[in-house]
């Protein structure tokens, strides 16, 4: 009886094993490392993550940007009137106290459930710290740029304000809001610092120590706490946020109309550009967005890694 293995032809090629899609397994015999089968392109998906946007919703979302543009415009307006001696230091101090009181009232009304005694005490201590530090350092700020020409000061201040607006977080707050899970990001901190430096440059051109203290306290309140207040208003009620923003825009346009007609036209054009033209452009360019997804993409986590 002969062995059956002796009848096998050694020249007969062995059957190639079927290719399997595995993430970690090394090279499979008979296939290249980058081999793909016929089902590779069947899993291709086009425009899976493209969001269909509604122009009205985009315009409403852009209100937050226009609102903060008006806040910065009002700060510039106060700076101009202070430098022209139209506003004195007593009026600035009354304005500071009024803004601080109204901001605290708004926080108490909109974040009543999230505010605690400890949080209010921390806010109060921070305000006292900023006020005391500003008053002590006011003489230094007053003479800080004495050897620098005014043209250089105006140019640097304008550049810092543009940087501030470019890096500002329009969807959140400059400081951590009550109940918020995340702290402000790095760009938001850089934006805040640039606005404070611009305020110091403006304050260095004022005639008295009390002027410097009042204008810096005003700028700190606006740039530091105004985003928190507007964020709380928006989270509390979007209709209230919309009404507040429209009223703020009308007041800002009125003051700029009284100041200079050209500035009024520039501000009005900027608001129209942000609220109308930019959302229209965003909707139009969505037609040209083309995204391809498939098995070649990197794996993505379907959960938050911090959970």
């Amino acid at each position: 009886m002969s062995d059956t293995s002796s009848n096998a032809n050694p020249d007969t090629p062995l059957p190639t094993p079927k290719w399997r899609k595995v993430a970690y397994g090394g090279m499979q015999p008979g296939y290249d490392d980058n081999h793909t089968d016929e089902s590779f392109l069947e899993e291709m998906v086009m425009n899976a993550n493209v969001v269909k946007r509604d122009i009205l919703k985009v315009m409403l979302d852009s209100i937050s940007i226009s609102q903060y543009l008006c806040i910065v415009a009002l700060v510039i307006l106060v700076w101009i009137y202070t430098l022209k001696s139209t506003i004195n230091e007593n009026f600035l101090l009354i304005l500071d106290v009024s803004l601080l009181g109204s901001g605290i009232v708004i926080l108490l009304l909109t974040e009543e459930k999230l505010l605690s005694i400890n949080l209010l005490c921390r806010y109060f201590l921070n305000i006292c710290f900023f006020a005391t530090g500003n008053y002590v350092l006011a003489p230094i700020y007053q003479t800080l740029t004495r050897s620098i020409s005014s043209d250089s000061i105006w140019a640097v201040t304008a550049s810092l304000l543009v940087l501030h607006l470019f890096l500002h977080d329009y969807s959140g707050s400059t400081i951590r809001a009550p109940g918020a899970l995340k702290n402000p990001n790095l760009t938001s901190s850089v934006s805040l610092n640039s606005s404070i430096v611009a305020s110091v440059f403006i304050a260095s051109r004022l005639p008295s120590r009390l002027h410097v203290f009042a204008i810096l306290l005003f700028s700190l309140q606006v740039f530091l706490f105004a985003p928190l207040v507007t964020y709380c208003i928006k989270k509390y009620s979007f209709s209230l946020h919309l009404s507040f923003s429209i009223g703020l825009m009308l007041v800002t346009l009125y003051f700029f109309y009284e100041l200079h007609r050209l500035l009024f036209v520039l501000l009005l054009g900027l608001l129209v550009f942000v609220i109308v033209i930019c959302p229209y452009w965003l909707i139009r360019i969505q037609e040209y967005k083309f995204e391809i997804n498939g098995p070649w993409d990197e794996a993505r986590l379907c959960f938050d890694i911090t959970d």
Side-chain angles (χ1 to χ4, degrees), residues 47-86:
N47 296 335
N49 300 319
V50 176
V51 179
K52 300 295 182 181
R53 303 182 185 274
D54 180 62
I55 188 170
L56 181 59
K57 185 178 184 304
V58 178
M59 292 176 66
L60 292 176
D61 290 339
S62 66
I63 292 293
S64 298
I65 303 176
S66 303
Q67 178 197 73
Y68 194 73
L69 288 176
C70 290
I71 290 176
V72 175
L74 288 175
V75 172
I76 296 174
L77 195 70
V78 172
W79 287 353
I80 293 174
Y81 283 139
T82 304
L83 291 170
K84 294 170 61 176
S85 299
T86 306

Side-chain angles (χ1 to χ4, degrees), residues 157-275:
T157 301
S159 302
L160 288 172
L161 286 179
V162 171
L163 179 65
H164 168 68
L165 292 173
F166 183 75
L167 297 179
H168 181 72
D169 183 11
Y170 294 95
S171 62
S173 173
T174 308
I175 58 179
R176 184 172 179 178
L181 300 178
K182 296 182 180 179
N183 291 317
N185 51 28
L186 176 61
T187 57
S188 179
S189 300
V190 175
S191 172
L192 176 62
N193 289 331
S194 64
S195 65
I196 299 304
V197 174
S199 304
V200 171
F201 283 165
I202 293 296
S204 65
R205 284 316 198 228
L206 296 177
S208 67
R209 173 180 179 175
L210 195 57
H211 266 102
V212 175
F213 167 71
I215 199 68
L216 280 178
L217 187 60
F218 167 77
S219 301
L220 273 175
Q221 286 186 128
V222 174
F223 290 125
L224 193 59
F225 293 108
L228 173 63
V229 173
T230 55
Y231 173 78
C232 293
I233 291 176
K234 183 178 180 180
K235 189 171 65 171
Y236 179 76
S237 172
F238 186 79
S239 58
L240 181 62
H241 160 73
L242 192 61
S243 302
F244 173 73
S245 301
I246 294 175
L248 185 65
M249 292 179 202
L250 294 176
V251 170
T252 308
L253 288 172
Y254 169 76
F255 280 116
F256 268 78
Y257 182 82
E258 294 293 326
L259 178 65
H260 200 283
R261 302 296 186 272
L262 180 59
L263 294 177
F264 167 79
V265 173
L266 291 176
L267 180 61
L268 180 61
L270 181 61
L271 294 178
V272 172
F273 178 77
V274 171
I275 299 176

Side-chain angles (χ1 to χ4, degrees), residues 117-135:
I117 300 298
N118 293 332
L119 187 59
L120 289 175
C121 291
R122 191 177 68 183
Y123 284 164
F124 178 75
L125 289 177
N126 289 336
I127 293 170
C128 293
F129 172 76
F130 284 126
T132 305
N134 277 331
Y135 188 78

